[in-house]
Amino acid sequence: MTLRGRLIAVGALVAVVLASGILILVRSRTPDCTVAAPRPSLAPALRALGDFDQAYDAGNAAALEDAAARAASALYGDLIGTAPEAPVAIAAATPGSPDAVVVPLRSHLTGSGPAPLAGLVVFLRDCQGSAYFDTVEDDASTQPALTEFPPVTREQASAQLGSAGVRLEYATSPLRPQWVTVTDPVRSFPAR
């Protein structure tokens, strides 16, 4: 075989490999996935800790709670030692916006009654079930103290809206969600 023949054969092989790779990528995309993976803009303290610029499994509550406690402690000294609670899922009201998971952090300081929430950590989800760190809200000095997140329970919202079918969603910030009826007519009630 001549040099020209070998170059043509190698070129054809490269074209087949590239076409196969493109076909695999196109077939592996998630159908109807319009939510891009939200990439965080990290503070230097979080960059130094590492792993906050990558995705967490949104279904792994323990990993999200651990990441929330570490992020809050790194960013706010008064949140060191807080105890993470079960993540709260919040749907996005706007199509194409990422759903969210909020991890409440319970204060280690006790007074009369249950310890208040000291902070909230937000993770944004893509449509493949990955959660990306977004922000921390320091509520340690908030008055009146936040005792639950969201402060308005599903039962209270159902009673207020007159519907048993309600879901938690946000329009502008996962930290300011609202309860929304899932049946017509659609009504909403602030959850915080």
Side-chain angles (χ1 to χ4, degrees), residues 134-160:
D134 183 54
T135 190
V136 176
E137 179 181 270
D138 185 354
D139 292 316
S141 60
T142 301
Q143 291 300 324
L146 188 62
T147 58
E148 296 296 324
F149 182 82
V152 177
T153 66
R154 178 179 300 277
E155 293 76 24
Q156 292 169 329
S158 293
Q160 183 70 27

Side-chain angles (χ1 to χ4, degrees), residues 97-187:
S97 293
D99 290 344
V101 177
V102 177
V103 179
L105 300 173
R106 183 77 53 194
S107 174
H108 61 282
L109 304 173
T110 58
S112 60
L117 292 180
L120 302 169
V121 180
V122 177
F123 294 88
L124 298 178
R125 294 181 48 172
D126 65 11
C127 55
Q128 296 182 357
S130 298
Y132 294 85
F133 171 79
D134 183 54
T135 190
V136 176
E137 179 181 270
D138 185 354
D139 292 316
S141 60
T142 301
Q143 291 300 324
L146 188 62
T147 58
E148 296 296 324
F149 182 82
V152 177
T153 66
R154 178 179 300 277
E155 293 76 24
Q156 292 169 329
S158 293
Q160 183 70 27
L161 295 171
S163 174
V166 295
R167 76 178 194 154
L168 197 56
E169 68 178 37
Y170 78 94
T172 57
S173 170
L175 297 170
R176 304 285 180 263
Q178 59 185 356
W179 290 104
V180 178
T181 58
V182 295
T183 57
D184 287 328
V186 177
R187 295 182 308 275

Side-chain angles (χ1 to χ4, degrees), residues 31-58:
D32 300 326
C33 180
T34 60
V35 178
R39 299 295 180 201
S41 174
L42 298 175
L46 294 180
R47 283 209 186 280
L49 288 176
D51 91 327
F52 286 101
D53 57 350
Q54 61 188 346
Y56 296 94
D57 177 4

